[in-house]
Structures are given as C-alpha cells and as structure tokens.
Amino acid sequence: MKLKYYLLLPFIITLFVGCNIDATEGVFEVKDEQLLLEILQEREDMSITVEAAKKCYIYNLLKSYGPYTVFAPTNQAWQQYFETKGITGLDDVEETVLEAIFEYHILPFEISTLNFQNGLMDEADTTANGYLLYIDLSGGLDNIKVNNKSLIIDGNIEAWNGMLHIVDHVLDPPVLSIADYLEKEEKYKKFYQFLDKYGISDTLSQLRQTEYPYDQNQFTVMAVPDHAMGKLYEIEDSILAMDARYEEFLGSDLNYANKVYPDQASEFAASFIISGIQYTPNLYSSFKKTLAKVPYGDNIMRMKVKVKENNIVINGKSTLVLENSDLIMKNGVIHECSDAFAYLAQSPREIIYSAYPHERWNTTIGANKENNSSNGYLGDGEYGIVRLKPSKVGAKFWVNIPNIPAGDYKLTLITKKGGSKAKILVNNKQMVFPGTNSEGIYDFEFILANRGRVDTRTPNPASSTNVNLYEIPTGNFKVNQGDENVEVALEVTYLNTGSPDIYISAIVIEPAVL
C-alpha cells in the first residue's frame, strides 16, 4: 500500500542558513531548513538512491510534509544489491520492486538513534509496508545495525520533514512466508516435508497482520538442512516408537489427573519453532519458548540456547551456521542448524504404566504372579490388577518400562489393600520415602491400613467390582540421557502372615518438580 503524502509548496518554505554539527555520540547534524530529498540530492554517495526514488512515487514523498525516518543506502550498498541479484542496475528493477524496497526503508514517523531500543521495534512502529525492523545496539551508538545486516554509518541527519540515517546495505524486504521459503529452498526440502507431515507448515504459512490489531503470527525457525536430516529421522523414529508403546500401555485413556498427553512426534516437530522473532544477537544464553507443548509446568516446551566462544548452541547439540542465519521472512526469521538437535523437552513426562497383565512382570524363584479378578484404576475390562504372590523372603518381582525420556522423576504405586514388607528399587537403587522404616522397607499392609498415608483413588466406574485403590509414594530417581529403560522392582524382605500378597494396578512415573 502506497504511503499518503502531502506536497509542500515552495513558497511556504522559509529557508535559513544551515549549521552542521558533529553526529558522533548521538549529536545531531541539523539541516532542518532542507527536505529529505534535498539532503539526499546534495550527497554524492546518494545518487543511486535519488535516481531510484525518481522511478517511483517515493521521489515526491521525500519532499512531502512527513515526518518520515529514512534509512538511505549508499551507492556502494546499491551496487552490492545489484551484484547479489545478478543484475546490472536500476533499469533491471521493476517499479513495484523499488517501491517495496523504499517502503521497507521508511518509517512513517521521525525517530533518532537516541530513541532506538535493542531488539524488534514495537508493533506500532512498522515500516511503510507494515514490517518490523530489528535494531541491534550491542555495538553501541556508533555501530547500530538494522536487521543484523545494515550498519548506520551516518545517522541523525535531521531534515524539515523527518530524519535521515545513511546505511551500508540495502534492506531487502521479505516476499515469502517461512513455509513458502522452506518449501522452495532446495536444501530445506526434507525439513519442510518433516514439518508438513505434522501440520507445522500450516502454522508457518500464517502471516502477521500489518495493521492494527496486530496478531502474533511471528516465528523463529531453527532449520535443519537436508544433509543433517538423518539424525532428525533417528530421533523421530525413537519418539514414534515411544508413542506406540504408550498407546499400547494406555489404550485410548490418555488423560490422567487432568494432564494432557501430547502427540510427542508432533511436539518434536513444533520444538524447532520459537514463538516470536529472535535474531542471532538476541539469542543469548537462555531458555526460549517454543510452539511445542508439554504436560507439566506452564505446558510450554523450552529450547535451550547457549552462547559459547562466539557459537550459538541449541539444546547442547547443534550449532547455528551464522552465515546462513537471520533470513528474514514475512512472518519471522530462519536460522540454519549444523545438525538436528536433541529433543530437550522430552523430559520429564508423566507416564502411567499399567501393571496388568502379569506377563509383564519378571520373577525369581519363590515369586509367583497372576491377574487379579478386580479391575484396576485404568481399566474398562482391558486393564486390571496384578497379584504378586511371594512364597519366600528374597522373592523379587520386577518390570521394565521402556522409552523413558531423560529427567528427574518421582515414582508412585497404585495398589489395593494387602501385602508383605518389601524394598522398592528403581534401576537397582532403593527408594526411601515417608512410610518406610529406618532401613527403607515398605510394609504394604501397614501403610494401606493407615489412611493418613495414602490417597484413595476413585474405583473404576466401568468396573462391576467395587475396589478401593491407593497411592503409595516411594521416592525420586533420575534417568540420564541415553538410559531409556527403567526397571521397577519389589524385593520381599518379610512375609506378612495375614495377607502376604501385593496387589499392583499401575506404576506412575511423573516429573519430580511440577
């Protein structure tokens, strides 16, 4: 959309003798008797900018009422632009393209570098064609960069109708959405197909609204080039296998304690996307919010960013390729990763492992097992309770729970009344928690008889058998990266004479810190 402008008639402009002031340290070069166009015309290094303005409506705009802020490229900046585009000069640039370039260099208000703030400009401070510029102040007022590319080499030149900042690069306005670019760019074909498979490409096709009210469709994408997609596929396959096992364990019952279990493969795809625009200078060591969801905390997955020896490392695995980063799109920015990064926020994740059927349990001599006739907490007839029947001290029952993401967890058993004394071990480490004696031994019969130490679970409403189930908290444990399986074991230390059998409905593994 073209800017509206109001031409100034020469006879109402009063000219004064100008004064030049050194522009260093934020001091202005004042030429407020002149228009923006007149200042540009006086400078030899601005001849291409003036000639380009003549080819479109911008020429008249620069001598109109204003006020405007203009980032004006030098002749050398234009020559670099022509070389990049593979053209010889302005004659090869269409008028509509020139208009879009100029509108990307013009703010419809006046602002000096003293009022710049580091980062993305405010939503209301868009360019003439509705985009947001990124201001990098990390180098100080003498080294201000726009869009992490164009350096202001002569700033705060004040005119009657605005402010002029001379820059050393042409700011190329974005013409594609992130999704369109990834689909079009040959080296990101596989990455685009991966995102499209999980519906993320639809999200990355949405464009931010350029007029009030502004929406939030702005993204930062960590793109994996095709040559590094092998590792990404390995992680994807592992997560798909994990989801398949969860489906096997839980059936269609994917809700527990009002927590939502996301589709982990889809969340893995969404974990490459940061919400909002983050240029590389803004990616200091921190945790950035992604579009992916997790069933704990504030439900937002974080991406770990670490700046180390001038490198930007993502989730401890992948380094950004800086020369291929800060690619500006209509709805965000793209950075290239050296490799697919680890799925950091896989952990921790709440998991309910059904103890049923008894075939899942391993046993030693003197340890028997069977399916109990009662339905368990998770059950609708498909799940139930396993009856662990020790016949001697030292009898051991254990089950292996696969595909547990790295993280800190706490373990809870869902049981019904009855049971002997036993140690509870996770990966051969004894759990010690309130309810155990000084040696860390759980007396199931005693604990379950004491309602103050257990939480009653609502019996399965689909069950015809009314059975009370209880929570027994055990202790915390850690799963290290690469250690995907967790072994939960009960080792009997004393046979209670009244009711020696231990009844287990489910094993709940959940984040240690929620």
Side-chain angles (χ1 to χ4, degrees):
M1 180 182 293
K2 291 186 178 181
L3 282 167
K4 294 180 179 179
Y5 59 89
Y6 301 92
L7 288 176
L8 293 168
L9 299 178
F11 63 82
I12 66 169
I13 301 175
T14 303
L15 298 180
F16 299 93
V17 177
C19 59
N20 293 326
I21 303 175
D22 185 2
T24 60
E25 298 300 326
V27 179
F28 292 82
E29 180 181 352
V30 181
K31 293 188 176 181
D32 59 2
E33 79 286 356
Q34 291 180 290
L35 300 174
L36 289 164
L37 179 62
E38 292 172 329
I39 296 174
L40 293 172
Q41 287 173 326
E42 287 183 351
R43 294 182 61 125
E44 292 182 1
D45 61 347
M46 290 287 113
S47 60
I48 298 179
T49 292
V50 173
E51 188 63 29
K54 286 180 180 179
K55 290 180 173 291
C56 58
Y57 80 97
I58 299 299
Y59 187 81
N60 285 331
L61 182 137
L62 293 173
K63 57 182 179 179
S64 65
Y65 188 82
Y68 306 109
T69 298
V70 179
F71 297 93
T74 62
N75 289 345
Q76 184 178 356
W78 280 105
Q79 294 295 346
Q80 290 175 346
Y81 173 80
F82 298 149
E83 184 178 346
T84 301
K85 298 297 181 180
I87 58 180
T88 59
L90 289 175
D91 290 340
D92 298 321
V93 185
E94 295 181 3
E95 179 182 340
T96 54
V97 175
L98 281 176
E99 288 181 358
I101 291 173
F102 271 113
E103 289 172 354
Y104 198 49
H105 288 71
I106 296 175
L107 302 173
F109 54 90
E110 183 176 333
I111 184 170
S112 77
T113 59
L114 295 177
N115 292 320
F116 283 166
Q117 293 185 358
N118 194 57
L120 206 63
M121 297 192 77
D122 291 340
E123 287 282 7
D125 297 340
T126 60
T127 62
N129 48 4
Y131 294 111
L132 295 172
L133 297 178
Y134 177 85
I135 304 297
D136 177 16
L137 298 177
S138 60
L141 290 178
D142 292 332
N143 293 281
I144 300 173
K145 280 188 175 182
V146 182
N147 282 6
N148 201 33
K149 175 182 179 181
S150 191
L151 181 69
I152 297 178
I153 58 177
D154 190 2
N156 297 330
I157 303 172
E158 196 169 33
W160 193 92
N161 59 340
M163 185 75 69
L164 188 65
H165 305 299
I166 308 301
V167 294
D168 68 349
H169 281 79
V170 174
L171 300 173
D172 204 4
V175 295
L176 297 173
S177 69
I178 293 173
D180 290 340
Y181 178 84
L182 293 175
E183 183 179 21
K184 180 181 177 182
E185 188 66 25
E186 194 63 35
K187 67 176 177 179
Y188 296 129
K189 289 280 188 184
K190 293 180 180 179
F191 183 66
Y192 172 80
Q193 292 167 359
F194 165 73
L195 297 178
D196 190 55
K197 177 179 179 181
Y198 296 105
I200 307 300
S201 61
D202 292 339
T203 299
L204 298 179
S205 295
Q206 300 172 15
L207 301 182
R208 66 174 296 277
Q209 191 164 305
T210 57
E211 296 180 357
Y212 185 85
Y214 307 103
D215 65 23
Q216 300 301 310
N217 294 330
Q218 301 177 83
F219 313 102
T220 299
V221 177
M222 304 299 178
V224 180
D226 283 1
H227 67 80
M229 286 294 290
K231 177 63 176 178
L232 186 148
Y233 292 143
E234 289 179 12
I235 300 173
E236 179 190 21
D237 289 343
S238 173
I239 292 171
L240 289 172
M242 184 191 303
D243 279 338
R245 295 304 295 268
Y246 290 152
E247 289 288 347
E248 176 189 340
F249 299 154
L250 303 178
S252 59
D253 187 5
L254 296 180
N255 291 317
Y256 174 77
N258 296 320
K259 293 182 174 64
V260 178
Y261 291 82
D263 174 352
Q264 291 291 287
S266 295
E267 302 308 325
F268 174 51
S271 72
F272 288 86
I273 320 298
I274 295 175
S275 178
I277 299 178
Q278 299 282 335
Y279 288 88
T280 51
N282 210 220
L283 286 172
Y284 49 85
S285 296
S286 59
F287 287 86
K288 301 294 185 181
K289 294 181 179 180
T290 72
L291 299 190
K293 304 298 182 184
V294 290
Y296 54 86
D298 62 1
N299 302 125
I300 299 175
M301 183 185 298
R302 263 67 172 181
M303 178 187 296
K304 183 180 180 181
V305 178
K306 179 74 172 179
V307 178
K308 185 179 181 181
E309 297 178 354
N310 296 322
N311 291 319
I312 300 175
V313 182
I314 306 300
N315 284 3
K317 297 292 183 181
S318 181
T319 302
L320 291 192
V321 183
L322 296 180
E323 60 268 26
N324 296 333
S325 295
D326 291 317
L327 304 177
I328 300 172
M329 302 296 133
K330 279 189 169 184
N331 55 345
V333 64
I334 298 173
H335 307 307
E336 182 176 306
C337 296
S338 62
D339 198 357
F341 47 79
Y343 185 35
L344 178 73
Q346 266 181 274
S347 64
R349 176 185 180 184
E350 186 180 57
I351 299 155
I352 308 170
Y353 186 91
S354 176
Y356 180 94
H358 74 80
E359 286 82 5
R360 289 182 172 170
W361 290 83
N362 302 288
T363 59
T364 59
I365 295 175
N368 299 303
K369 57 185 180 175
E370 65 181 31
N371 294 328
N372 187 252
S373 58
S374 301
N375 286 334
Y377 175 73
L378 300 174
D380 55 5
E382 181 180 356
Y383 298 103
I385 297 174
V386 169
R387 184 180 186 182
L388 306 178
K389 304 172 64 179
S391 60
K392 56 181 290 188
V393 171
K396 185 177 179 179
F397 307 83
W398 74 95
V399 64
N400 289 304
I401 306 176
N403 298 317
I404 306 299
D408 296 313
Y409 294 92
K410 60 182 179 181
L411 181 76
T412 301
L413 301 181
I414 307 298
T415 72
K416 79 170 191 176
K417 282 189 175 182
S420 295
K421 296 180 181 180
K423 295 179 183 177
I424 298 176
L425 304 101
V426 175
N427 291 342
N428 294 317
K429 177 185 176 182
Q430 186 175 349
M431 298 288 99
V432 178
F433 202 76
T436 62
N437 62 18
S438 60
E439 298 177 347
I441 307 299
Y442 284 78
D443 187 336
F444 280 83
E445 187 174 53
F446 174 79
I447 294 172
L448 295 174
N450 186 339
R451 292 289 185 98
R453 295 188 180 181
V454 295
D455 294 325
T456 302
R457 290 297 181 103
T458 303
N460 173 31
S463 171
S464 58
T465 305
N466 186 18
V467 55
N468 289 321
L469 296 172
Y470 305 92
E471 282 186 348
I472 297 183
T474 64
N476 294 358
F477 66 95
K478 185 178 185 66
V479 176
N480 295 317
Q481 196 74 40
D483 299 333
E484 297 182 342
N485 295 327
V486 170
E487 179 188 274
V488 177
L490 281 74
E491 184 177 328
V492 175
T493 59
Y494 177 82
L495 290 178
N496 284 337
T497 55
S499 179
D501 298 343
I502 300 172
Y503 299 85
I504 306 292
S505 174
I507 299 169
V508 178
I509 296 174
E510 57 188 324
V513 179
L514 289 176

